[in-house]
Amino acid sequence: MEANRKYSVLLPTYNEKENLPLIVWLLVKVFTDSGLDFEIIVIDDGSPDGTLEAGKQLEKIYGKDKIVLRPRKEKLGLGTAYVHGMKHATGDFIIIMDADLSHHPKYIPEFIKKQQEGDCDIVTGTRYVGSGGVYGWDFKRKFVSRTANYIAQVLLRPGVSDLTGSFRLYKKAVLEKLVESCVSKGYVFQMEMMIRARHFGYTIDEVPIAFVDRMYGESKLAGKEIVDYLKGLLYLFANL
Amino acid sequence: MTKLMQWLAAVGLFMSIWLAIVLDMISLNIPDSKKEILHALPVYILIVFACYSLALIGYRVATFNDCVEESRELKEEIQEAKKELTEKGYKFD
């Protein structure tokens, strides 16, 4: 692996006081073991639980060049969190992932290897192919997830097996361009990023990942979530 | 061209060819016994597609990997992380 490349991890957080030190520890371990240059940019949206204070402790332990705290006053959405984080990113590549430990940093070296093999613009984690999978999902959740994914595959034919995943590596300029042009929110935002990426002719490769859902509860799969997903899907279907 | 337009174009093309044959605008000399099948063709295609979709989704749900090992590993790593961070002076509360 080339040593002169730098990777910026963007971690948007909201009430992740428990998980932040753990994900940071795992990230530092993976990057250090692989000998890669990195920084972790924590974008905390005014969490009332003290996530920012946890971040400050980590900044002291690992140094200001590794842990970059860029908090915002209030919850402002994912797209703007990426824009905000990228303004301060000094890496050539941006890695986005969830801070709740559902995405394990151990896959990052695989993402980087995949990126370098084909010099592709985006590498996305996929739960749906090969050794990819999930932990903590019951039958209903799996069924809804597979069905939602199937409908998106049929309607949009994106050439990407996991459209709603949010564990991805981007070339910095590519992510800047995509965030600028995407208008959706939530799951649909991740989906729109992939569809627009295809439109712009960006190359995308995939790495199978295990998605470990530790927080999953029944309430998470609300009817509203499904309706919003379908609405977003139809929006992309009609406009892209 | 949006995906919606692509779909409309494909479905439109199929339906116009089908209609042209059904209404005998294109004569293919199809025997009457086979015409019944032809008339119901769009419905048959829909049913086959629905069955295929359900079977595929069912198969994919059944073969969705349960990452038990990954979850166990993560739990161990969390313990290790907590221990090492505490040594480095991190205060959990």
Side-chain angles (χ1 to χ4, degrees), chain B residues 18-73:
Chain B
W18 174 75
L19 259 179
I21 298 170
V22 168
L23 299 176
D24 276 330
M25 287 153 80
I26 306 172
S27 77
L28 293 176
N29 293 325
I30 298 167
D32 282 350
S33 59
K34 298 281 186 330
K35 282 220 166 123
E36 251 173 62
I37 301 175
L38 179 70
H39 289 171
L41 194 61
V43 178
Y44 286 153
I45 291 175
L46 270 182
I47 292 170
V48 168
F49 179 66
C51 290
Y52 166 79
S53 300
L54 277 177
L56 192 67
I57 291 170
Y59 174 76
R60 286 176 174 174
V61 171
T63 56
F64 213 159
N65 286 332
D66 277 311
C67 304
V68 179
E69 183 61 21
E70 280 83 354
S71 168
R72 196 190 51 77
E73 255 174 46

Side-chain angles (χ1 to χ4, degrees), chain A residues 113-132:
Chain A
K113 194 164 158 268
K114 261 277 154 66
Q115 191 282 322
Q116 291 179 348
E117 275 170 13
D119 188 35
C120 47
D121 299 307
I122 304 166
V123 179
T124 176
T126 177
R127 296 160 288 181
Y128 298 121
V129 296
S131 55

Side-chain angles (χ1 to χ4, degrees), chain A residues 171-206:
Chain A
K171 284 182 179 167
K172 193 181 178 193
V174 169
L175 183 59
E176 276 167 348
K177 168 112 178 156
L178 283 174
V179 167
E180 197 177 278
S181 45
C182 288
V183 295
S184 308
K185 301 225 169 339
Y187 282 129
V188 183
F189 175 74
Q190 303 296 356
M191 198 149 64
E192 185 176 6
M193 297 271 274
M194 290 297 101
I195 308 295
R196 290 217 188 260
R198 283 288 186 221
H199 264 239
F200 290 134
Y202 293 137
T203 48
I204 308 173
D205 212 331
E206 301 188 306

Side-chain angles (χ1 to χ4, degrees), chain A residues 6 17 19 23 45 54-55 60 116 136 138 146 149 157 159 180 184 186 200 208 213 222 231:
Chain A
K6 184 170 178 177
K17 188 180 82 171
N19 290 323
I23 188 77
D45 279 2
K60 248 182 231 150
Q116 291 179 348
D138 58 7
R146 281 295 198 184
N149 186 260
R157 279 174 289 122
E180 197 177 278
S184 308
F200 290 134
D213 203 341
K231 272 193 205 159

